[in-house]
Amino acid sequence: MSETTNIFTVTREDEFAILTMDVPGEVQNTLRKEFGDEILPILESLENDQSVQAVIFTSAKNDSFVAGADIDMLKAATSEQEVSEIAKTAQKVFQKMIDARFPIVAAVNGACLGGGYELALACHARVATDENSTVFGLPEVQLGLLPAGGGTQRLPRLIGISAALDIMLTGKRVKAKKAVKLGMVDEVVAKPNLLLAAKKMAKKLLSKEDFRRQGKKSEWYQSFTSVSGIQKLALEDNAYGRKVLFDQARKRTIAKTLGNYPAPEKIIDCIEDGFEHGMEYGFEKEAQRFGQLAMSPESKQLINIFKATTEMKKGLGVDPSVKPRSVEHVTVLGGGLMGAGIAYVSAEKAGKQVRIKDRDETGVNHGLKYVHDILKKRVKRKSLAKSDADWIYSHVTGTTKYDGMKKTDLVVEAVFENLELKHQMVKDIEAVVPENAIFATNTSSIPITQIAEASTRPENVIGLHYFSPVEKMPLLEIIVTEKTAQDVIATAVKFGHQQGKTVIVVNDGPGFYTSRILGPYMNEAAKLVEEGVPVDWIDEALKEFGFPVGPITLLDEVGIDVGSKIAPILQEAFGERMAPPPSFAKLNDDDRKGRKNQRGFYLYEDGKSKKKEVDESVYKVLSVNPTNRMHKAEIAERCALMMLNEAAFCLQENIVRSERDADIGAIFGLGFPPFLGGPFRYADTIGVNALKEKLERLQARYGDRFKPADIIVEKAEKGEKFYQD
């Protein structure tokens, strides 16, 4: 016998009621406004049915328990109070579950995140499958929010304050086997055994005298917890110890966020309030602060980013009628850091058969070792089973010759930034791969059209611009020429998605989009050094602005020699707007390449920066006196506005397809501060007219490199924004 509502189906099996959630028309379950309206009557009905001794809460979705709350529900809210009421409703529903007369067991397969995990926390136990898709976490911080369905109160009491802080402040996703060790989950089983294990768990709870005697979970909840949770509570169960813990957490958080993200500190405040003044007080503050955060500009921008990336995953960058080609065999030309990283994500994420080709055994072995070492580390950290690592590694082979490539569907070239060399790669590879094989170049600055000039099949040539290290950086910039076939674009986008990348598609041109907008930003930082501003002072200014690393540190990391190769290409194309300081040529003469040869702007020891100490000798090389302690806000403005202005030029010239793509590219590829939303969201925040005036003031003081792009001037005159929402 079963009963059905819009979201839920209730099925009776002996003394059990199986409560199955299935949001219609969606791949994943999310908590929506109607969730509470439907589940409360169901719980009341089950409470009154004495034949029901236990409830199993599960999902009908294939790889999703509940992936979180519906973001649109928050975007529709217009006030802090309205958002706080949403949180209070969730708290009320979850408390009703906790207070049920019968045990409720969450049977979890797939993503159990955010509000979904808070739902699981409101169950009396949690049983999960050992599938790779089964992950747990409270990632609200990534949207500038905090868990507001009781998560800040219940998780610390379940697994301890320190472990809960780590989960909530990082937004990390925890796989089932680790979750059971932490105490987030009670048992992990194979997928076919999930419901059976959940029923056994429910019977186990029913047999506990405490549960029957107390009846209500609100009291019993704090005693029935994991062993590790009890141990942690013992260490944290005194006011002095907790104060030290919370103070340290705040100190670490502020050092990391530099005050740019309010959510982490409010999460700490909620947990501390709950422990010092009781759970009810904690719930109240949780809902209140949730409302404050949801209305904050930082959260609004982070939610914009989330929605944009979600939308981008749905398309392939071309008309929906265009079908991508099949890609099973991938050849990577070059076994260096980029080539090896591309090979790794192609095998590990995309599941492709990969062949690394290099000119000699040393290059091939480097590529294979790079892949092997990543897999070895993952096995050691227990984030990957050895059998899975072996399977992945078996899909990566190497060669110094153009053999074994007759089945190649896609070639990714990752050799040096040299047009002649890339032309040779095109000719060599086209002689041995099938005619329909796609040739993708990983160049970061040379126009794809120029590379395609060596091809007899230019319609199959495309740019795949990865960022280093490939296995960690989320963006893939795909560059298309006027001749690139539509199905080649679709294939490249699908391949990028399979590699786990956030993908933007841009049109061809020197520097494309990301390298082009990075150029003037880096050049301005270099000009500041030339003006006598200390290297570390510049880096600090841009970090405080919100970039993950400063521009001079970035130059050391990428390689001063790499920058010197890209700069002339951009300067030739765009003139003095892209000109680096002439004095920086002296760095190459002094053999300063940055981290790679441990000679750059900073001191290095065994390949690592030495406490971020500046190599003072660099000032002598550049003939500058580093005494100009310019105001950090002015430093940040000069560098950031150069990036904004160049992004506007790219939009105006149709290099980038939309403001959305431009913002995502800058954030995921270059580390533009996410809480500012990207160059165009930030432009709208400060006002397009104000942006124009700032650029004009800088132009009057420093020269025409700051002259505002025509599109900025036009929008300022019309009183328009870049975004219409």
Side-chain angles (χ1 to χ4, degrees), residues 173-191:
R173 300 182 178 201
V174 181
K175 289 194 174 182
K177 288 182 179 178
K178 185 173 181 181
V180 77
K181 290 180 180 179
L182 287 172
M184 296 173 71
V185 172
D186 298 289
E187 186 178 3
V188 177
V189 298
K191 186 176 179 180

Side-chain angles (χ1 to χ4, degrees), residues 367-622:
L368 295 175
K369 185 177 185 300
Y370 190 90
V371 173
H372 178 267
D373 287 349
I374 296 175
L375 294 171
K376 186 178 178 181
K377 286 178 184 176
R378 289 194 60 193
V379 170
K380 188 176 181 179
R381 293 198 307 265
K382 297 185 178 179
S383 66
L384 187 70
K386 188 177 185 304
S387 57
D388 291 335
D390 291 342
W391 183 91
I392 294 165
Y393 193 62
S394 72
H395 279 60
V396 183
T397 58
T399 181
T400 58
K401 300 178 181 179
Y402 287 102
D403 56 2
M405 297 182 186
K406 292 181 180 179
K407 293 183 178 180
T408 296
D409 303 303
L410 172 66
V411 178
V412 184
E413 168 270 303
V415 299
F416 298 115
E417 288 288 275
N418 179 287
L419 184 58
E420 264 186 50
L421 178 60
K422 291 179 185 291
H423 276 171
Q424 192 61 52
M425 293 294 100
V426 174
K427 293 173 183 176
D428 289 348
I429 202 70
E430 283 190 348
V432 295
V433 298
E435 284 193 11
N436 65 340
I438 296 169
F439 182 90
T441 173
N442 180 53
T443 179
S444 57
S445 59
I446 302 173
I448 310 304
T449 303
Q450 290 184 19
I451 295 172
E453 288 172 357
S455 174
T456 58
R457 305 187 283 270
E459 69 278 5
N460 286 342
V461 179
I462 196 166
L464 295 186
H465 180 205
Y466 294 89
F467 297 77
S468 184
V470 179
E471 66 275 10
K472 293 181 180 178
M473 293 295 285
L475 187 74
L476 172 60
E477 181 180 29
I478 293 179
I479 307 100
V480 303
T481 73
E482 292 180 355
K483 294 182 179 179
T484 305
Q486 292 294 293
D487 64 338
V488 170
I489 300 171
T491 305
V493 173
K494 182 179 179 180
F495 181 61
H497 289 164
Q498 290 173 333
Q499 291 176 317
K501 300 297 181 183
T502 296
V503 178
I504 63 169
V505 178
V506 305
N507 289 318
D508 192 25
F512 324 126
Y513 172 66
T514 53
S515 294
R516 179 170 163 183
I517 69 169
L518 182 64
Y521 167 83
M522 299 291 281
N523 284 343
E524 198 60 31
K527 286 179 169 67
L528 285 161
V529 174
E530 196 174 53
E531 291 172 26
V533 182
V535 163
D536 50 349
W537 191 252
I538 297 168
D539 278 345
E540 285 174 21
L542 273 302
K543 283 189 69 178
E544 289 174 15
F545 181 77
F547 280 89
V549 297
I552 309 300
T553 296
L554 181 61
L555 186 55
D556 258 12
E557 292 293 326
V558 171
I560 298 168
D561 56 327
V562 174
S564 67
K565 290 176 182 176
I566 296 173
I569 296 171
L570 296 177
Q571 185 176 357
E572 183 181 351
F574 304 108
E576 288 305 301
R577 191 171 83 237
M578 291 285 188
S583 65
F584 267 53
K586 298 176 183 177
L587 297 172
N588 285 323
D589 297 337
D590 196 45
D591 192 33
R592 289 182 184 258
K593 297 178 180 177
R595 179 192 286 275
K596 67 176 69 175
N597 73 340
Q598 300 190 48
R599 283 176 55 80
F601 290 94
Y602 287 92
L603 292 173
Y604 294 91
E605 199 171 78
D606 298 327
K608 297 181 180 179
S609 58
K610 196 176 178 182
K611 295 183 180 179
K612 288 295 177 185
E613 288 182 44
V614 176
D615 182 351
E616 298 290 333
S617 67
V618 77
Y619 297 125
K620 186 177 180 180
V621 173
L622 295 172

